[in-house]
Amino acid sequence: MVSTIEISWLAGILEGEGAFTNSGKWQQPKIMLKMTDMDVVAKVAALFCRKMNGPYKLPSGKAVWVTTATDYNAISWMYTLYTFLGIRRRQKIREIVATWKSRPGSKATQFKKDEQISYILQDTMALLYGTNQSTTP
């Protein structure tokens, strides 16, 4: 099980270095981290339960490593990280989730129960941390 400290750490890394996107023809939700710090990317890959790719060479000659979470895995992480992120990232996540929910064949219907639980958890965290911002993507 991932601890609150690890979730907070991951949110900080992704807020500064990550990318939240819809990618490809089917607008698949995606979280990507690309960094020169192999140990950091390896830790994020482990949290995502995904592999780390690289090293790839940048034009500067530096080595870079990459990890991604996609589709349902990405959506799950977006909901988990949402309350820890800034306004701009929250807005991007709301856009990604809306696109994902409207996509034919998405797992959005199976996600509905998880989503309701996530809302409850987010609202509880908002009460605990005293934030007045909306916690629902």
Side-chain angles (χ1 to χ4, degrees):
M1 184 168 174
V2 181
S3 72
T4 304
I5 291 171
E6 289 172 312
I7 293 168
S8 300
W9 175 85
L10 180 59
I13 290 295
L14 294 174
E15 180 75 49
E17 299 287 336
F20 295 80
T21 63
N22 283 317
S23 67
K25 178 181 176 182
W26 301 107
Q27 294 293 291
Q28 184 179 47
K30 182 178 187 179
I31 302 171
M32 183 173 73
L33 178 67
K34 181 194 260 186
M35 292 180 72
T36 59
D37 298 319
M38 184 180 84
D39 60 322
V40 174
V41 178
K43 184 173 179 177
V44 172
L47 290 170
F48 284 169
C49 297
R50 301 287 296 185
K51 66 180 183 174
M52 176 177 68
N53 297 305
Y56 303 108
K57 292 287 182 187
L58 294 174
S60 66
K62 282 187 159 187
V64 67
W65 286 266
V66 179
T67 192
T68 60
T70 56
D71 205 38
Y72 185 79
N73 189 21
I75 291 290
S76 296
W77 275 110
M78 287 177 193
Y79 275 98
T80 301
L81 297 166
Y82 187 83
T83 58
F84 294 97
L85 298 171
I87 294 168
R88 186 172 59 90
R89 298 285 188 182
R90 287 181 186 198
Q91 178 58 39
K92 185 63 177 177
I93 288 171
R94 286 192 297 272
E95 292 169 11
I96 292 167
V97 169
T99 300
W100 178 73
K101 284 180 177 178
S102 67
R103 191 180 78 196
S106 77
K107 292 184 180 180
T109 47
Q110 293 112 342
F111 197 75
K112 193 70 176 165
K113 188 173 183 180
D114 292 343
E115 180 180 26
Q116 290 167 348
I117 292 167
S118 179
Y119 288 153
I120 293 166
L121 290 172
Q122 290 171 6
D123 290 340
T124 302
M125 291 180 77
L127 288 172
L128 288 172
Y129 294 110
T131 179
N132 292 328
Q133 293 181 357
S134 171
T135 59
T136 306

